[in-house]
Amino acid sequence: MDGSRRVLASMSLISSLPPRQTLAALLLALVLASALALTRGARLETADYVMNNGSEVQTLDPATVTGVPEGRVLRAIFEGLIVKHPETLEPLPGGAQSWEVSEDGLTWTFHIRQGAKWTNGDDLTAEDWVFSWRRFLHPDTAAYYAYQLWYVRGARQYTRQPEDRSFTADPAGGLWYQRMSDGRIQIGLHGYVLEHESGPVRVELPADPADPATVHLNTRSWTLPFAITNLEGNPKAPTEAAALLPRCYGLKNDEDSGWLLKGALTETDWKAAHKSGALLDGPTYRREVADTRHLKIWREGSHTLKVTLNSPTPFFLDLTGFYPTFPVNRRNLEEAQERWPDRWEIEWLRASNIVTNGPFRLLERRVNDRIRLVKNETYWDADHVAMNSIDILAIEQDSTMLNLYLTGGCDAIDRVNTNVVQELWGREDFQPTPYLGTYFYRVNVHQPPYDDLRVRQALSMVIPRKAICDNVMKMGQVPASSLTPPGIGTYTPPSMKLGSADEARALFAAAGYPDGKGFPPVEIHYNTSEAHSSIAQVIALAWQDELGIRTKLRNEEWKVYLDTQQNLRFQVSRSAWIGDYSDPNTFIDMFVTGGENNKTGWGNPKYDALVAAAASELDAARRLELLGEAEAILLEEMPILPIYYYVTQNLTAPRLGGNSENVLDEHFPKFWYWMDDEELAQKRANYPQEFQFVDPHGPKDGLYSPAQQAARGQQ
Amino acid sequence: MIRFLFRRLMWFVVTMAVVMSVSFFLMKNVKGGPFDTERALEPAIEANIQARYHLDWPLWKQFLHYTGPFNLDERGLGGSGKKLWGGVLSGDFGPSFRYRDFTVNDIIGQALPISALLGVVSMMWALALGVSTGIASALRRGSGLDLALRLAATGGIALPNFVIAGFLIILFVFLIPLLPVAGWGSTKEMLLPGFCLGLVYAAYVARLTRTGMLEALSQDHIRTAQAKGLSPRTVVLRHALKGGLLPVVSYLGPATAGILTGSLVIERIFFIPGLGSHFVNSASNRDYTLAMGVTILYTVLVYTLNTVVDLAYTLLDPRIDLAEEA
């Protein structure tokens, strides 16, 4: 009681304060009031469906992302040439109505959907993909995943920056301009001589000298600033040029290779700029040059997209539904460039500016909080979209997302902590299924004694894989005996050599380390995490007990760990790989000699040859055989020690329809809907095993798309 | 007063220069970069990325490019021939390397008001709880009440706030479903995180108040006041408290800076999109611009609030003359 009386007493203090302190109190109240004002109106209505994404997305530019969280958002707001069936992952028509591939498996033809629209009202055409894919591959886009399209002829060279990017300009010729019939001025350049890569620009002079000439720049530039840099190249007088140039736009692709420069300048603008010397002065400029002529992505007519590949690539169709290959709207980019010449790269992605073509559109983004999506009414298949709004949360903390899910604040979460798995087993909303990922240790084969195959085999044999799956991971992970997890189509991965502890000790003795004598201490390297640490401890103990060697653990913060691994400063290092697409190649091509993701120092010419042969093999079955042979070599020589295969860890509201667990752990918002009680009861009756029923989330009466409603009405 | 402020301003410039350059070069010397991922990149692609963000430049050049209005880039980001941002000196912290659709200014602009509001709520808790229990402790020095309150304060300092948060969530969300478990926006959602965040500060404030009050109560002028026959209430509130709160006031400066810039733990547990997580995440993501941005922001806040505290001292204690001290 005494305490609370004192609280009252201290509160009455304010009234007894002299004026100065009253002022201070008033100031404090002002701060409080303004803080409250700042957050007012910040609340959104609850969305139809709320899912957690596990972290804040890095960007929504499809060309420059690589992560799972980004993919989840992009699949909702963009659409690639194909979409995948939510259960079987088979390709369904998306941006493309239909497609065919030539007999040699090299040339793909996509028939772009007629009548599909962007959110800004533009028609979707083949040109959108030509533009987007060129942009995706362009060096200035700096796309991580550019290599995913390197199967396209010419793409790899296109992504590489030329070593010397300077031009020699002819100062006497240089820039020209011509008044056009509509009163605008057309600007052109000629006389540029390329020192590398390809020939000079092509200038088409018109028959009638009064007509504007067309200048083809041999550049793969796709947007204004790249081309306009020519004009701004003189560092002496950048101000005038900068003031002038933002108003230029309307670069036009001339079908084949070059770009036509067009500027909406008045003659006065032009003369002023020219007089100031801002436009063309120095003889050399640094700018990149490349050539789309060798990049085999083109269109025929407005709605036919054609692509030629280096070799038949059976998973190419899958890649056209993979988020880096989603199209972006060119006008979206160019209008942003025009309005914000210095920060358009951020502005075009703002919720108020971004133009998309998917089933949902972006309404609002709050960093580290949520992304609000709403149904895109201009989407070609909007009739089949049920959810009116979706919230994508960025909760990182395992316990927080679980609490929110359990209290109904969130309808799906993508991972659960191993500490609570025991509690979740048997619930209908927790059904882990195999996932295309493998957990393994890399061994540095350059460092003795790990250059000895027998040592690596012995180390592998005594890893207690089953105990790790059952006692550490606890989610139904499967002990691994290969790099490629099972579950990819008809591919059956070969198995590595298994053996007892005695065999392992024999191998160790044969390698010169009987009972582990003379073997230098092994250091297991991993990135700081509770799970990795537990696994490393189990393995270290097994190696100590079974082989008699000493072990040390070394954990490093994520980025430092990556650096250590990349530079081969480890003996044994924890690793994992998640497949990008459903094909063994996504795992196997990682270990070709000198590959960036090899990180073991291992190489085998026969392995490389098999992987290369598989890449150009037309026969699908034969191709898988070749990949299988390659993987057998890898598992024979053991630069890696496979440990377990991944499983999905989703907790998903039971009432959610149009969603299922699959090997890629990809889910497609387009198909999502809420079941009504009747359908939910049916679903529950069909469970393959007995599950504990839990709060199903979602509305009792369900939420169906207009098409579904019509179909149900008929029944 | 003016001279004092001017002097402070001079030191502010020096402090900022040191903080900026030291943290910039330290940061760049840490292994790993913003674009490293588990999927190592082809050299061609990596070169493209490095060039696009100027990570291939020598450090001094990157530093000048980051801080100043110098245009060191003849090509400009994306070939625009322009600098992407005006540099820190113009108040522009540049684009985030990690959250690439936002500038650092956007991110701070979104997160700071949230952290500030949470900070105000928890500071209210801290002051209300801390000052009142501190006074109570001092007045009943040595009693059972004093012991209990001091124990509670020590506990408040010793117990990590995620433990307290865990207990409170179990109590008020799952056992007595009164409050939402996480999220940000409504008054209800502010109560638990505000309390948890304020508790540690409350404990410090209680201890400082107690010490300050004990010292103040033993002063001569208090004895004079008591001898004059003033009521105990007047003695404590009018005469002792003013002096007794001095240690609390000097603690409030840095505490406010700390509380305004958020708390990683509380933000993660209650899923609050505040600033605290950026302090830690920007470092582990090697998000150079965001890490610099929050470091600079924190420096400015600490510096400003400490200056404000010094000014407040003159209000509370007439013996202090800033011009003389300076």
Side-chain angles (χ1 to χ4, degrees):
Chain A
M1 278 321 286
D2 200 44
S4 63
R5 224 171 38 226
R6 294 298 165 187
V7 173
L8 287 175
S10 66
M11 283 177 77
S12 71
L13 171 71
I14 291 167
S15 58
S16 65
L17 287 172
R20 274 191 312 190
Q21 275 92 332
T22 315
L23 195 71
L26 277 175
L27 271 173
L28 194 67
L30 193 72
V31 169
L32 186 64
S34 54
L36 278 168
L38 277 169
T39 53
R40 271 189 68 123
R43 268 191 94 65
L44 292 161
E45 295 274 308
T46 312
D48 284 343
Y49 180 73
V50 184
M51 61 181 279
N52 185 40
N53 207 6
S55 84
E56 177 61 42
V57 299
Q58 297 199 20
T59 170
L60 292 183
D61 178 357
T64 59
V65 298
T66 54
V68 171
E70 288 81 7
R72 290 198 186 109
V73 184
L74 292 174
R75 277 193 294 275
I77 60 174
F78 286 99
E79 184 172 80
L81 290 170
I82 62 150
V83 293
K84 290 181 197 158
H85 189 279
E87 281 157 30
T88 61
L89 296 177
E90 271 169 28
L92 299 174
Q97 228 151 4
S98 61
W99 52 85
E100 64 253 1
V101 59
S102 64
E103 256 177 43
D104 58 4
L106 291 179
T107 303
W108 285 80
T109 308
F110 295 93
H111 302 285
I112 307 299
R113 186 173 297 281
Q114 301 279 347
K117 291 207 182 298
W118 291 94
T119 48
N120 67 354
D122 288 357
D123 284 328
L124 267 149
T125 61
E127 178 61 29
D128 286 316
W129 268 273
V130 174
F131 167 74
S132 303
W133 286 7
R134 281 180 180 175
R135 169 179 179 267
F136 173 50
L137 290 165
H138 193 284
D140 279 346
T141 307
Y144 282 63
Y145 260 155
Y147 67 87
Q148 298 283 11
L149 270 189
W150 282 1
Y151 305 105
V152 174
R153 191 166 289 174
R156 195 185 183 110
Q157 294 77 3
Y158 184 72
T159 303
R160 292 207 162 134
Q161 299 220 28
E163 273 167 28
D164 183 350
R165 293 190 276 148
S166 59
F167 278 84
T168 309
D170 171 13
L175 268 157
W176 56 266
Y177 72 102
Q178 190 129 10
R179 196 199 318 245
M180 291 170 65
S181 51
D182 62 357
R184 300 198 303 173
I185 301 288
Q186 196 171 44
I187 308 169
L189 293 134
H190 71 83
Y192 273 37
V193 181
L194 248 75
E195 290 174 344
H196 285 273
E197 291 234 341
S198 65
V201 291
R202 190 155 52 89
V203 182
E204 267 174 40
L205 289 172
D208 183 353
D211 288 338
T214 310
V215 177
H216 301 274
L217 293 168
N218 280 334
T219 151
R220 57 182 168 181
S221 297
W222 49 270
T223 43
L224 187 67
F226 298 113
I228 217 73
T229 316
N230 286 309
L231 310 178
E232 225 182 339
N234 174 16
K236 282 184 206 156
T239 337
E240 292 90 338
L244 174 68
L245 296 166
R247 294 167 58 186
C248 300
Y249 63 92
L251 270 182
K252 252 180 97 176
N253 187 357
D254 86 330
E255 296 277 327
D256 173 37
S257 62
W259 295 82
L260 182 65
L261 266 174
K262 238 189 204 173
L265 304 178
T266 65
E267 199 168 0
T268 332
D269 282 341
W270 164 254
K271 278 184 175 162
H274 199 255
K275 219 190 236 167
S276 74
L279 288 185
L280 194 72
D281 198 17
T284 54
Y285 301 91
R286 287 198 63 84
R287 59 167 280 91
E288 58 276 61
V289 171
D291 196 329
T292 53
R293 279 177 308 177
H294 300 298
L295 178 62
K296 294 301 174 198
I297 302 169
W298 75 101
R299 67 183 166 89
E300 281 172 6
S302 61
H303 282 74
T304 306
L305 173 72
K306 298 204 113 184
V307 180
T308 304
L309 309 181
N310 288 320
S311 57
T313 310
F315 46 88
F316 183 73
L317 191 61
D318 263 7
L319 286 179
T320 65
F322 185 35
Y323 51 81
T325 68
F326 290 172
V328 292
N329 181 281
R330 179 156 181 190
R331 206 148 65 86
N332 183 192
L333 286 158
E334 289 182 354
E335 284 179 358
Q337 284 182 312
E338 197 189 326
R339 278 183 68 185
W340 300 280
D342 51 347
R343 52 192 174 92
W344 61 273
E345 290 182 302
I346 286 173
E347 295 294 338
W348 77 274
L349 290 157
R350 296 226 191 259
S352 49
N353 301 333
I354 190 169
V355 176
T356 55
N357 70 330
F360 294 88
R361 64 188 175 79
L362 183 64
L363 187 73
E364 200 179 338
R365 283 186 75 179
R366 297 186 192 159
V367 182
N368 276 354
D369 185 22
R370 68 192 63 220
I371 293 176
R372 167 60 63 95
L373 306 178
V374 289
K375 184 173 172 177
N376 174 11
E377 296 298 343
T378 64
Y379 177 59
W380 65 271
D381 204 14
D383 217 25
H384 282 95
V385 177
M387 298 293 177
N388 296 307
S389 54
I390 295 180
D391 262 358
I392 300 179
L393 308 182
I395 311 175
E396 292 184 356
Q397 183 85 4
D398 290 354
S399 58
T400 308
M401 60 178 91
L402 183 65
N403 285 344
L404 205 63
Y405 176 82
L406 293 176
T407 53
C410 172
D411 302 310
I413 61 177
D414 67 336
R415 61 170 184 260
V416 293
N417 195 293
T418 49
N419 295 330
V420 296
V421 173
Q422 236 65 45
E423 311 288 320
L424 297 172
W425 274 119
R427 283 172 61 111
E428 58 174 334
D429 52 357
F430 182 63
Q431 301 181 29
T433 56
Y435 177 34
L436 210 57
T438 306
Y439 191 99
F440 59 94
Y441 277 2
R442 281 185 162 89
V443 185
N444 183 353
V445 300
H446 280 329
Q447 196 178 52
Y450 308 98
D451 53 349
D452 189 328
L453 174 62
R454 292 167 297 193
V455 168
R456 301 199 293 270
Q457 281 175 336
L459 289 176
S460 167
M461 280 174 187
V462 297
I463 292 178
R465 297 183 170 84
K466 182 111 181 45
I468 290 170
C469 292
D470 294 348
N471 306 333
V472 183
M473 300 315 293
K474 299 186 231 172
M475 265 174 259
Q477 282 86 348
V478 180
S481 56
S482 61
L483 170 66
T484 312
I488 306 179
T490 54
Y491 180 77
T492 318
S495 171
M496 65 188 182
K497 200 173 168 185
L498 301 165
S500 64
D502 286 332
E503 283 173 70
R505 278 189 286 271
L507 281 168
F508 234 59
Y513 309 103
D515 299 326
K517 280 197 187 79
F519 197 88
V522 191
E523 192 177 71
I524 302 177
H525 170 240
Y526 58 93
N527 59 299
T528 315
S529 133
E530 214 179 304
H532 302 326
S533 164
S534 309
I535 292 173
Q537 284 172 30
V538 170
I539 292 176
L541 204 65
W543 285 347
Q544 270 171 355
D545 290 352
E546 305 288 353
L547 301 173
I549 56 184
R550 279 189 299 136
T551 48
K552 285 191 289 191
L553 303 184
R554 172 159 64 119
N555 76 84
E556 285 181 336
E557 181 261 354
W558 176 243
K559 299 272 182 179
V560 180
Y561 151 86
L562 289 176
D563 185 78
T564 305
Q565 205 176 57
Q566 190 64 48
N567 292 303
L568 286 183
R569 285 192 301 263
F570 64 88
Q571 297 169 340
V572 177
S573 177
R574 168 265 145 189
S575 305
W577 192 257
I578 309 283
D580 289 323
Y581 43 88
S582 188
D583 188 279
N585 191 62
T586 182
F587 287 90
I588 293 169
D589 78 348
M590 188 162 52
F591 287 99
V592 294
T593 310
E596 280 68 38
N597 284 303
N598 183 317
K599 302 186 206 170
T600 58
W602 179 80
N604 184 322
K606 224 171 119 197
Y607 181 88
D608 301 348
L610 283 165
V611 173
S616 54
E617 178 58 55
L618 270 173
D619 182 63
R622 175 73 194 129
R623 186 177 155 273
L624 291 184
E625 267 175 45
L626 290 169
L627 287 172
E629 283 173 42
E631 186 170 358
I633 295 178
L634 180 81
L635 296 172
E636 174 66 37
E637 306 206 346
M638 301 219 102
I640 56 159
L641 316 175
I643 296 172
Y644 69 80
Y645 305 125
Y646 278 51
V647 288
T648 59
Q649 310 179 8
N650 299 307
L651 267 180
T652 313
R655 199 187 284 279
L656 185 71
N659 184 65
S660 85
E661 298 290 301
N662 57 56
V663 286
L664 288 175
D665 201 16
E666 278 183 10
H667 306 275
F668 306 91
K670 172 179 173 175
F671 303 105
W672 288 342
Y673 64 94
W674 288 117
M675 302 174 184
D676 61 7
D677 279 348
E678 198 184 327
E679 197 184 340
L680 178 67
Q682 267 177 27
K683 176 188 166 184
R684 285 175 165 169
N686 288 331
Y687 282 147
Q689 67 187 82
E690 220 166 277
F691 280 117
Q692 176 201 344
F693 296 163
V694 297
D695 172 18
H697 293 239
K700 263 175 75 67
D701 299 330
L703 178 63
Y704 293 93
S705 70
Q708 282 173 314
Q709 275 168 9
R712 287 161 60 88
Q714 276 172 10
Q715 283 173 9
Chain B
M1 182 85 105
I2 303 290
R3 257 188 65 195
F4 165 77
L5 284 179
F6 180 73
R7 200 178 280 260
R8 276 294 165 100
L9 195 67
M10 299 286 291
W11 276 109
F12 176 73
V13 174
V14 176
T15 312
M16 287 311 295
V18 171
V19 166
M20 270 170 65
S21 43
V22 168
S23 41
F24 185 90
F25 289 101
L26 272 180
M27 181 179 74
K28 291 276 181 177
N29 274 309
V30 175
K31 276 183 195 164
F35 303 109
D36 293 349
T37 68
E38 194 154 37
R39 280 155 165 64
L41 293 168
E42 286 260 353
I45 296 176
E46 184 157 21
N48 289 339
I49 293 173
Q50 298 272 333
R52 189 180 185 282
Y53 290 94
H54 304 312
L55 298 175
D56 51 351
W57 283 2
L59 272 187
W60 63 266
K61 201 172 166 189
Q62 290 185 38
F63 183 67
L64 288 184
H65 188 73
Y66 174 73
T67 49
F70 317 102
N71 190 2
L72 298 169
D73 179 8
E74 68 270 26
R75 202 168 59 91
L77 195 79
S80 65
K82 283 174 189 295
K83 209 173 145 172
L84 184 70
W85 73 89
V88 168
L89 294 185
S90 65
D92 187 342
F93 293 110
S96 164
F97 281 53
R98 167 81 180 187
Y99 308 118
R100 299 201 294 272
D101 304 351
F102 297 95
T103 62
V104 172
N105 294 44
D106 290 336
I107 294 172
I108 293 178
Q110 283 190 21
L112 185 61
I114 294 170
S115 285
L117 181 55
L118 176 63
V120 169
V121 172
S122 43
M123 210 35 126
M124 294 288 170
W125 276 115
L127 285 178
L129 280 176
V131 172
S132 55
T133 54
I135 295 173
S137 260
L139 293 179
R140 299 279 142 81
R141 183 183 186 181
S143 71
L145 178 76
D146 180 28
L147 189 69
L149 287 175
R150 279 165 66 195
L151 264 178
T154 312
I157 294 169
L159 270 183
N161 49 13
F162 59 85
V163 174
I164 297 168
F167 278 122
L168 291 177
I169 286 176
I170 292 172
L171 187 62
F172 289 110
V173 178
F174 288 100
L175 293 181
I176 319 167
L178 278 180
L179 297 171
V181 68
W184 187 251
S186 68
T187 322
K188 264 185 156 182
E189 284 166 335
M190 291 172 198
L191 285 177
L192 277 186
F195 182 77
C196 293
L197 187 57
L199 214 54
V200 178
Y201 294 95
Y204 276 108
V205 169
R207 284 175 59 155
L208 288 170
T209 310
R210 181 178 178 276
T211 319
M213 282 301 283
L214 284 179
E215 204 195 313
L217 286 171
S218 65
Q219 299 281 318
D220 290 343
H221 71 275
I222 297 297
R223 227 173 306 147
T224 315
Q226 280 164 342
K228 268 193 344 196
L230 290 176
S231 75
R233 184 190 136 121
T234 318
V235 173
V236 170
L237 292 184
R238 287 209 71 117
H239 300 281
L241 190 59
K242 217 171 157 186
L245 278 185
L246 278 179
V248 177
V249 170
S250 57
Y251 170 70
L252 277 185
T256 308
I259 220 164
L260 284 183
T261 46
S263 147
L264 171 77
V265 175
I266 293 297
E267 283 174 16
R268 279 182 71 111
I269 292 178
F270 292 101
F271 181 41
I272 298 168
L275 256 186
S277 54
H278 293 308
F279 278 89
V280 180
N281 291 347
S282 65
S284 52
N285 292 332
R286 308 291 190 271
D287 187 343
Y288 296 138
T289 41
L290 184 55
M292 285 299 287
V294 291
T295 307
I296 291 169
L297 175 77
Y298 188 67
T299 315
V300 171
L301 277 175
V302 171
Y303 202 92
T304 315
L305 287 168
N306 273 329
T307 309
V308 170
V309 164
D310 288 343
L311 288 177
Y313 255 69
T314 55
L315 296 180
L316 287 172
D317 190 345
R319 285 170 303 184
I320 293 173
D321 182 359
L322 289 173
E324 220 169 76
E325 180 248 4

